[in-house]
Amino acid sequence: MSAMSTSANFSEPEHSGLLKFLSAAFYAVSSFLIIVVNKTILTNYRFPSYMFLGIGQMTTTILILYFAKMNQTVHFQDFDRSVLVKIFPLPLLYVGNHITGLASTKKLSLPMFTVLRKFTILMTMIMEARLLRKTFPNRLIYSVLAIVFGALVAASSDLAFDAEGYTFILLNDVFTAASGVYTKKKLGTEGLGKYGILFYNAFIIVVPTLLASAFTGDLHKAITYEHWLNAPFVSCFLISCLMGFVLMYSIVLCSHYNSALTTTVVGAIKNVAVAYIGMFLGGDYLFSWTNFLGLNICISGGLVYSYLTFHSSSKPSQSVESGIQGNQDQLIIPMMEDSIDRLPVK
């Protein structure tokens, strides 16, 4: 009975299939574009400070939403003490996601970056099961395992292994998964909404990040960078700053219309283009058959997972019916009953 009640309590409000698809596609395109731009800045132009690039993206987000609020284009709660309570721990997860993501982009080739990002799907599934008490069909679990297996195969023959890069990307997976799950929870918080989450995330952590950048000498490296008068570099930097806002907005929008797990899965679709394009355009991919095989296993599992996720979401009545008939096709991750944190239904 507990499994049945769990599924019922966490059934999400149904949005139209078109809105789900468009929000997912918007996130996929945004994620793809910002990876390419960031990779160009950090690798091709050898910009020394991924932290300063993150600060630029946060500042752009603050300015856009501030002026939009002043013009009453968007609406969210004015700042007071309650905002800190409402939004915590998202700012910490946000800055962790930002910094580790940019650092790993600099350290790893595009194909390996996208492969190791697949672990985010597994981590999101585990966090949703533990924090939101969700259950998942075995077919989805098997496809996730295929994704992870492919990632392990590809990583096992990484000819350009970088321990620091791998550390950053795995930390980035953890921060991304936690951020996705908590974003879904916070979307139901009164007074915040999509724009409030974006604004106060950036607003709360931009100054501490700037101070950390100055203290570590990272800020000095960015300011004294030699290509600030190079028009193509400056254009890429400004595009990255703008895309930082667009990406965060697309993540929140996709989480609003879909589950946190579905938002994560969308990355698998996007990674098909990123991985293969990176082999030819990235300039830092070292080919091996084992690595290539792992990439294809990983991507195949991601596509199957994506199909199953969107296919099942388009048939809510079947999901409810199958939950009533029995849960033999569900994996239930056990946890203490008193630790259940309910997701508010809007």
Side-chain angles (χ1 to χ4, degrees), residues 9 15 23 58 64 96 123 128 137 204 263 276 297 343:
N9 286 335
H15 300 287
S23 63
M58 298 174 205
I64 290 175
M123 294 177 183
E128 281 201 319
I204 290 171
T263 301
Y276 286 107
I297 294 173
L343 177 66

Side-chain angles (χ1 to χ4, degrees), residues 67-307:
F67 286 112
K69 181 176 172 62
M70 291 298 97
N71 293 329
Q72 297 186 342
T73 304
V74 301
H75 303 278
F76 54 86
Q77 175 182 343
D78 293 331
F79 182 79
D80 57 39
R81 292 180 180 179
S82 68
V83 169
L84 297 176
V85 177
K86 290 179 179 179
I87 203 168
F88 185 83
L90 274 180
L92 298 180
L93 299 175
Y94 177 85
V95 69
N97 188 28
H98 231 79
I99 300 304
T100 56
L102 290 170
S104 56
T105 300
K106 182 177 182 179
K107 294 288 183 180
L108 299 172
S109 67
L110 273 177
M112 287 313 303
F113 174 87
T114 56
V115 165
L116 293 173
R117 284 287 290 160
K118 297 295 196 306
F119 285 93
T120 304
I121 299 176
L122 178 61
M123 294 177 183
T124 302
M125 177 176 283
I126 293 173
M127 288 184 184
E128 281 201 319
R130 298 189 70 85
L131 294 176
L132 305 180
R133 191 64 173 174
K134 283 197 171 186
T135 58
F136 302 97
N138 286 337
R139 292 173 299 173
L140 290 184
I141 297 167
Y142 297 148
S143 62
V144 167
L145 294 178
I147 294 170
V148 174
F149 175 72
L152 290 174
V153 171
S156 68
S157 66
D158 185 8
L159 303 181
F161 177 80
D162 187 310
E164 186 178 357
Y166 272 54
T167 300
F168 275 126
I169 192 64
L170 292 177
L171 286 174
N172 185 238
D173 290 343
V174 173
F175 282 121
T176 301
S179 180
V181 173
Y182 276 101
T183 295
K184 185 65 178 179
K185 290 183 64 177
K186 299 298 180 180
L187 281 170
T189 303
E190 183 180 357
L192 287 180
K194 299 188 294 291
Y195 302 109
I197 288 175
L198 286 174
F199 180 83
Y200 288 117
N201 263 339
F203 180 77
I204 290 171
I205 52 91
V206 67
V207 173
T209 305
L210 182 61
L211 293 176
S213 178
F215 179 77
T216 59
D218 191 77
L219 182 62
H220 177 72
K221 292 179 182 178
I223 293 175
T224 58
Y225 179 62
E226 59 183 352
H227 291 304
W228 279 116
L229 297 180
N230 184 316
F233 166 76
V234 173
S235 298
C236 286
F237 188 88
L238 294 177
I239 292 173
S240 176
C241 291
L242 180 61
M243 286 304 302
F245 163 73
V246 173
L247 175 64
M248 293 309 300
Y249 176 70
S250 70
I251 291 173
V252 173
L253 191 68
C254 189
S255 297
H256 174 70
Y257 289 116
N258 300 281
S259 68
L261 187 58
T262 300
T263 301
T264 306
V265 170
V266 171
I269 304 174
K270 171 263 302 179
N271 285 344
V272 175
V274 174
Y276 286 107
I277 291 176
M279 291 180 186
F280 302 100
L281 300 182
D284 54 0
Y285 176 70
L286 301 178
F287 179 85
S288 77
W289 281 109
T290 304
N291 186 274
F292 184 71
L293 175 63
L295 280 174
N296 284 277
I297 294 173
C298 195
I299 288 172
S300 298
L303 290 176
V304 171
Y305 183 34
S306 303
Y307 169 77

Side-chain angles (χ1 to χ4, degrees), residues 314-336:
S314 67
K315 298 182 179 182
S317 59
Q318 287 187 5
S319 300
V320 174
E321 183 180 353
S322 62
I324 295 175
Q325 290 175 348
N327 46 26
Q328 65 273 14
D329 193 38
Q330 300 285 329
L331 172 70
I332 302 174
I333 299 180
M335 61 181 291
M336 298 301 293

